Amino acid sequence: MNHDVLPDWAARAALWVRDYHAGLRDRPVRAQIRPGDLLAQLPDTPPETPEGMETIWDDFARLIPDALTHWQHPRFFAYFPANASPASMLAEQLIAGIGAQGMLWQTSPAATELEQAMMVWLRRALALPEDFTGTIHDSATTATFCAVLTMRERALGFRGLTEGLSGAPVMRLYASAQTHSSVDKAARLAGIGQNNLVKIATRDDLSMDPEALRQAIEADKAAGRLPIGVVFCSGGTGVGAFDDIAAGLAVARDHDLYTHVDAAWAGSAMICREFRPLWAGAEGCDSIVFNPHKWLGAQFDCAVQFLRDPVAQINTLGLRPDYLQTLEGEGAPNFNEWTLPLGRRFRALKLWFVLRAYGLDGLRTRLRNHVAWTEELAGVLAQIPGVEVVTDPRLALFSFALTQGDAATEALLTRINADGRIYLTQTRHAGRFVIRFTCGTWDCTRDDVMATAEVIRDLL
Ligand code: PLP
């Protein structure tokens, strides 16, 4: 394989991808194999001598597609989407072909400056204040971890970085009971301890109770513990909970706490004016993460973190050993200092392609359709005898269950995923086993969404 034949193979790959997407509706959404099935078909040692691309390609086409769960399947309604638009795919192809690494401005000025520009574009698309800047990470988990490390160090006067945490007071981090496990992970790994992540009770609308937040902070202070920050949930993974950020922010400000918003999924929807009340107050927070790789068409991986003032995060994460000193590019950001890994992919290119190829209006239409179809489906399911919509649609997510109880609901979910026409997952809500429905893949249509009702009627 060399550069001369790469274009032929790239063309073949592009055609394969086109046909793969065109044929997705004929495939079961979730891989219908058992653990170990693929592994058993793979040699357990690498080849000593080169193999021909034809052989490699044939093995790919023979072994891989049936062992995939098809995330771009139009009837993938599980988890949150990781939607991939064709423009993003093309950009990813270029990113791979260029193979640049944007750890410093100097190592890839285009990657750095396009990232700066995309942060401005997205800030404006989401109508956030002009003083926000930010960066692109691989995942929301990384962004939230960076935010929690920043909270910790800001609260410790940046001494934890050099002195360690053994002499530090017990630190406390606050988030709603609906928060994503990435916040638990951040508390664990940042040395705060999962037991010091205080999960604040939610109100009937599943938003964090600001009064309970205030009381928890005051009790911790009185007990000599050190509150470090609050993470707000804006579109929770389970059933789409939204905190009242403005109310929680007022409490956080009273105690000078750093604030981070986890809008990994719902953030994309904020390009639509009508959804912005859901995260009112986010504009006043210190840090916000959202994943264009979930719902905006810039495929995995692409997590955007907005920062009101990046200095605290740079002071927490940035290091400049001799070999990373640069003689040129002074004044430009070295984005590795804003995040965890040193090496950085050229992710801004796919945002640039996506935002231009579809325009904000095109993207808004897609998101609005997903929300409208989800609401329509919830209405239809609610009419099916024995089916109960447990949590109403929040954007493009709702949950439902069978009135017969958990065992019956679980059995229905197993039948649905074995059937293969659609793919759904579960969560627990208010002690009940519920099935989540969410849509958002790029090629999903109203018919795909409504097929869910048909499948459920068939399998009841
Ligand atoms: N936060 C929320 C609300 C999520 O739904 C998810 C993933 O689904 C995450 C964080 C973690 O996202 P990532 O996979 O980018 O780490």
Side-chain angles (χ1 to χ4, degrees):
M1 181 67 165
N2 58 34
H3 286 294
D4 291 337
V5 297
L6 180 60
D8 294 337
W9 284 103
R12 189 154 159 188
L15 290 173
W16 185 91
V17 166
R18 184 198 60 192
D19 294 345
Y20 167 75
H21 280 264
L24 276 176
R25 283 192 182 83
D26 299 327
R27 292 179 178 274
V29 189
R30 203 181 70 171
Q32 306 284 316
I33 65 167
R34 288 182 312 275
D37 281 357
L38 174 64
L39 198 56
Q41 298 182 70
L42 301 173
D44 50 14
T45 48
E48 293 291 341
T49 53
E51 293 189 78
M53 264 319 293
E54 282 292 351
T55 312
I56 300 170
W57 182 271
D58 286 350
D59 284 347
F60 162 74
R62 183 172 57 85
L63 296 174
I64 301 301
D66 288 344
L68 289 170
T69 288
H70 304 287
W71 278 73
Q72 304 313 318
H73 196 300
R75 293 193 301 268
F76 179 101
F77 303 133
Y79 306 102
F80 282 135
N83 68 11
S85 63
S88 167
M89 293 174 196
L90 182 63
E92 277 286 11
Q93 198 180 329
L94 291 170
I95 293 164
I98 294 166
Q101 210 269 63
M103 59 190 184
L104 305 167
W105 175 86
Q106 188 178 281
T107 63
S108 216
T112 299
E113 295 189 15
L114 201 57
E115 185 158 334
Q116 287 179 287
M118 289 308 99
M119 293 310 299
V120 173
W121 282 21
L122 287 173
R123 174 182 79 208
R124 293 188 173 151
L126 272 61
L128 288 171
E130 290 286 305
D131 56 350
F132 271 105
T133 176
T135 191
I136 310 175
H137 301 268
D138 56 352
S139 65
T141 301
T142 302
T144 294
F145 185 49
C146 292
V148 169
L149 288 171
T150 303
M151 289 175 185
R152 185 192 80 189
E153 285 309 313
R154 179 178 170 272
L156 293 178
F158 297 91
R159 284 190 302 277
L161 296 169
T162 46
E163 294 169 23
L165 302 178
S166 56
V170 171
M171 289 175 270
R172 302 286 267 182
L173 172 65
Y174 308 88
S176 113
Q178 291 286 324
T179 202
H180 185 263
S181 60
S182 52
V183 184
D184 297 69
K185 187 177 275 188
R188 285 179 168 214
L189 301 186
I192 290 153
Q194 199 172 356
N195 292 347
N196 290 313
L197 167 59
V198 186
K199 298 268 181 82
I200 304 292
T202 52
R203 298 178 289 195
D204 287 349
D205 64 357
L206 302 181
S207 68
M208 174 172 15
D209 181 346
E211 213 27 60
L213 173 65
R214 186 184 299 282
Q215 284 167 13
I217 295 169
E218 287 173 0
D220 281 336
K221 279 185 159 174
R225 303 182 193 113
L226 179 64
I228 62 165
V230 184
V231 178
F232 295 110
C233 170
S234 204
T237 315
V239 293
F242 284 87
D243 284 338
D244 177 348
I245 299 177
L249 179 63
V251 177
R253 281 202 177 137
D254 285 348
H255 294 277
D256 186 31
L257 296 185
Y258 196 86
T259 47
H260 171 70
V261 179
D262 178 4
W265 163 64
S268 295
M270 303 310 166
I271 62 171
C272 303
R273 183 186 293 270
E274 69 272 28
F275 300 135
R276 290 183 196 145
L278 287 168
W279 78 348
E283 71 285 350
C285 292
D286 296 301
S287 164
I288 303 170
V289 64
F290 92 101
N291 284 348
H293 74 223
K294 279 190 164 51
W295 203 8
L296 207 62
Q299 71 205 81
F300 193 81
D301 54 2
C302 188
V304 161
Q305 184 189 19
F306 293 104
L307 288 162
R308 176 172 294 286
D309 176 1
V311 171
Q313 188 155 311
I314 294 170
N315 286 347
T316 303
L317 301 170
L319 276 177
R320 269 194 209 188
D322 290 342
Y323 44 82
L324 294 180
Q325 298 289 350
T326 54
L327 304 180
E328 291 162 46
E330 213 39 59
N334 287 326
F335 276 127
N336 81 80
E337 296 169 3
W338 300 46
T339 184
L340 225 47
L342 175 59
R344 312 187 73 248
R345 301 183 65 231
F346 189 3
R347 299 187 182 92
L349 194 72
K350 58 189 165 187
L351 282 169
W352 197 43
F353 274 40
V354 168
L355 292 171
R356 297 179 66 188
Y358 306 106
L360 289 175
D361 257 341
L363 296 168
R364 286 186 192 109
T365 301
R366 274 203 150 66
L367 289 157
R368 285 175 176 141
N369 279 340
H370 296 154
V371 172
W373 299 334
T374 300
E375 284 171 1
E376 187 180 350
L377 176 68
V380 171
L381 292 194
Q383 300 304 313
I384 300 178
V387 175
E388 180 192 349
V389 171
V390 178
T391 56
D392 288 332
R394 289 178 163 84
L395 296 175
L397 168 65
F398 68 91
S399 70
F400 65 96
L402 295 185
T403 49
Q404 281 171 287
D406 285 0
T409 307
E410 201 171 333
L412 173 66
L413 181 62
T414 304
R415 289 199 296 281
I416 288 171
N417 289 332
D419 174 84
R421 280 176 285 173
I422 61 174
Y423 179 22
L424 298 173
T425 51
Q426 78 291 331
T427 189
R428 293 200 78 81
H429 179 69
R432 292 176 70 181
F433 182 100
V434 296
I435 302 177
R436 296 168 73 254
F437 173 91
T438 184
C439 75
T441 52
W442 193 256
D443 295 322
C444 166
T445 63
R446 180 182 168 278
D447 283 352
D448 291 312
V449 171
M450 300 316 287
T452 302
E454 194 183 306
V455 170
I456 288 170
R457 279 198 196 94
D458 286 353
L459 298 176
L460 265 183

